[in-house]
């Protein structure tokens, strides 16, 4: 009996020691994150490699079958705010993001079960939405799968899939204009709004090319409070868009004067561009 207990102890010790050996993953995990509008989107996935195999449209990953969109555990998409994916509304939350490959177009599936391993327990009844994406051909074979955020804009970004000879691209976006405008209206209507409120409101109006005369008023108020290269350039850009080149040039010269004191090269470059463009008009 003692000998048996000893042998069992040795076996358990050996198994425990073996379980602690860490080896590199064949399909390493990856996380990509992007701010979109006023929220953040996070894609978590494992990155398989070809390793001499034909994958898409083969027995490994057949066409017209649900695929985990990566390796190991299912690929997930997590949103901390409501967004649009391919123009379709998707609530805040964490989702499985899986795919159904095909020769010419793929179906991207957003499923509510974000905790499944692969798609062995995938249930279509838990799908939140589906949409089609055209499959483009890569000129050069890509060994390791990638999911990236590209074509980043203030309120949108494309999620781009590349692997083997296939590329997919679909857009995640957030319509924040109504929220921002309501916030601007509430804060600028208060008595004596602070510098940050006025500056950010002017910036947003410039970005949206909306009521630039009001934006110019705010930019002047901001400069009366504190002078800086950024604030001068903000006024210069608004005035230039309004076609008020003499006012834009004067503000740009102010930006250069203040920027030269602290070596702000970016501010000087922008101001000189505004002055040059105004001379050509």
């Amino acid at each position: 009996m003692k000998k048996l207990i000893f042998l069992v102890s040795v076996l358990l010790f050996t198994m425990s020691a073996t379980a602690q050996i860490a080896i590199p993953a064949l399909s390493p995990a990856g996380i990509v994150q992007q701010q979109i509008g006023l929220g953040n989107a996070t894609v978590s996935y494992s990155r398989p490699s070809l390793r001499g195999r034909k994958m898409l449209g083969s027995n490994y990953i057949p066409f017209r079958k649900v695929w985990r969109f990566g390796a190991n555990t299912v690929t997930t998409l997590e949103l901390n705010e409501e967004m649009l994916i391919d123009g379709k509304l998707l609530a805040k939350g964490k989702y499985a993001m899986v795919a159904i490959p095909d020769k010419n177009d793929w179906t991207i599936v957003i499923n509510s079960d974000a905790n499944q391993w692969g798609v062995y327990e995938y249930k279509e009844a838990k799908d939140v939405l589906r949409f089609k994406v055209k499959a483009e051909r890569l000129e050069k074979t890509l060994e390791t799968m990638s999911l990236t955020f590209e074509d980043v804009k203030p309120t949108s970004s494309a999620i781009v899939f590349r692997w083997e000879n296939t590329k997919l691209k679909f857009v995640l976006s957030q319509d924040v204009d109504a929220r921002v405008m309501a916030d601007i209206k509430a804060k600028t209507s208060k008595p004596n709004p602070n510098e940050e409120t006025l500056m950010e409101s002017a910036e947003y109006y410039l970005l949206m090319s909306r009521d630039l005369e009001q934006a110019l008023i705010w930019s002047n108020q901001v400069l009366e409070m504190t002078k800086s290269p950024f604030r001068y350039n903000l006024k210069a850009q608004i005035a230039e868009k309004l076609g008020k080149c003499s006012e834009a040039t004067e503000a740009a010269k102010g930006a250069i004067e203040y920027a030269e004191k602290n070596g702000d090269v970016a501010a000087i470059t922008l101001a000189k561009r505004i002055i040059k463009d105004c001379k050509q008009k």
Side-chain angles (χ1 to χ4, degrees):
M1 177 61 72
K2 288 183 179 179
K3 185 175 181 180
L4 178 61
I5 292 172
F6 173 76
L7 289 173
V8 171
S9 299
V10 170
L11 179 61
L12 289 173
F13 175 81
T14 303
M15 290 174 64
S16 176
T18 303
Q20 293 177 25
I21 296 175
I23 62 173
L26 287 175
S27 301
I31 298 176
V32 288
Q33 187 177 66
Q34 182 61 52
Q35 180 181 6
I36 297 172
L38 302 177
N40 290 297
T42 304
V43 174
S44 302
Y45 70 115
S46 292
R47 306 184 61 185
S49 295
L50 298 176
R51 298 196 297 278
R53 301 170 295 177
K54 163 70 178 170
M55 298 299 287
L56 303 176
S58 72
N59 289 334
Y60 290 106
I61 304 172
F63 286 150
R64 296 178 290 280
K65 299 280 188 180
V66 176
W67 174 46
R68 70 188 82 188
F69 217 18
N72 303 327
T73 188
V74 72
T75 292
T76 62
L77 170 65
E78 185 170 9
L79 308 177
N80 71 346
E81 289 202 1
E82 179 182 88
M83 293 189 189
L84 297 170
I85 185 165
D86 191 54
K88 300 169 180 64
L89 193 63
L90 187 59
K92 168 185 174 180
K94 187 174 184 179
Y95 303 92
M97 184 168 67
V98 300
I100 303 174
D102 211 336
K103 186 176 181 180
N104 298 317
D105 53 40
W106 290 34
T107 301
I108 305 300
V109 181
I110 306 300
N111 184 275
S112 63
D113 186 0
N115 298 313
Q116 50 191 308
W117 177 267
V119 286
Y120 302 109
E121 296 181 355
Y122 164 79
K123 291 181 176 60
E124 187 175 340
K126 293 186 177 181
D127 288 354
V128 176
L129 59 85
R130 292 182 170 207
F131 56 92
K132 294 274 190 181
V133 180
K134 181 182 177 182
E136 300 177 42
R137 184 168 181 81
L138 293 173
E139 292 183 4
K140 185 178 179 181
T141 300
L142 185 65
E143 171 68 19
T144 302
M145 176 189 152
S146 75
L147 282 168
T148 56
F149 284 104
E150 300 179 21
D151 298 337
V152 178
K153 297 179 177 65
T155 59
S156 68
S157 176
I159 297 177
V160 181
F161 163 89
R162 291 183 181 89
W163 196 29
E164 205 163 26
N165 294 107
T166 299
K167 174 183 175 182
L168 308 172
K169 181 177 178 180
F170 50 95
V171 176
L172 198 59
S173 63
Q174 188 181 52
D175 185 0
V176 299
D177 187 62
R179 286 170 60 185
V180 174
M181 289 301 294
D183 199 25
I184 288 173
K185 183 178 179 180
K187 290 179 179 177
T188 57
S189 62
K190 291 180 179 179
N192 303 315
N194 62 39
E195 294 180 54
E196 287 73 21
T197 291
L198 295 173
M199 186 170 65
E200 289 167 0
S201 299
E203 280 186 89
Y204 189 71
Y205 273 38
L206 173 61
L207 175 68
M208 303 301 290
S209 296
R210 176 179 293 146
D211 197 353
L212 294 175
E213 291 289 358
Q214 179 60 65
L216 189 61
I217 292 170
W218 286 329
S219 69
N220 279 321
Q221 291 174 329
V222 165
L223 272 171
E224 287 172 6
M225 297 174 182
T226 306
K227 291 176 172 54
S228 73
F230 176 83
R231 295 174 185 216
Y232 271 112
N233 271 334
L234 177 60
K235 176 181 177 178
Q237 290 175 89
I238 296 168
E240 182 188 18
K241 263 198 171 183
L242 282 166
K244 299 183 177 183
C245 267
S246 60
E247 200 168 345
T249 299
E250 183 183 354
K253 288 178 179 177
I256 292 171
E257 179 185 346
Y258 276 83
E260 285 177 340
K261 294 176 183 178
N262 57 14
D264 189 340
V265 177
I268 293 170
T269 301
L270 174 57
K272 286 183 176 179
R273 194 276 300 160
I274 293 170
I275 294 170
K276 180 182 177 182
D277 288 353
C278 277
K279 283 182 179 178
Q280 295 173 348
K281 291 180 179 178

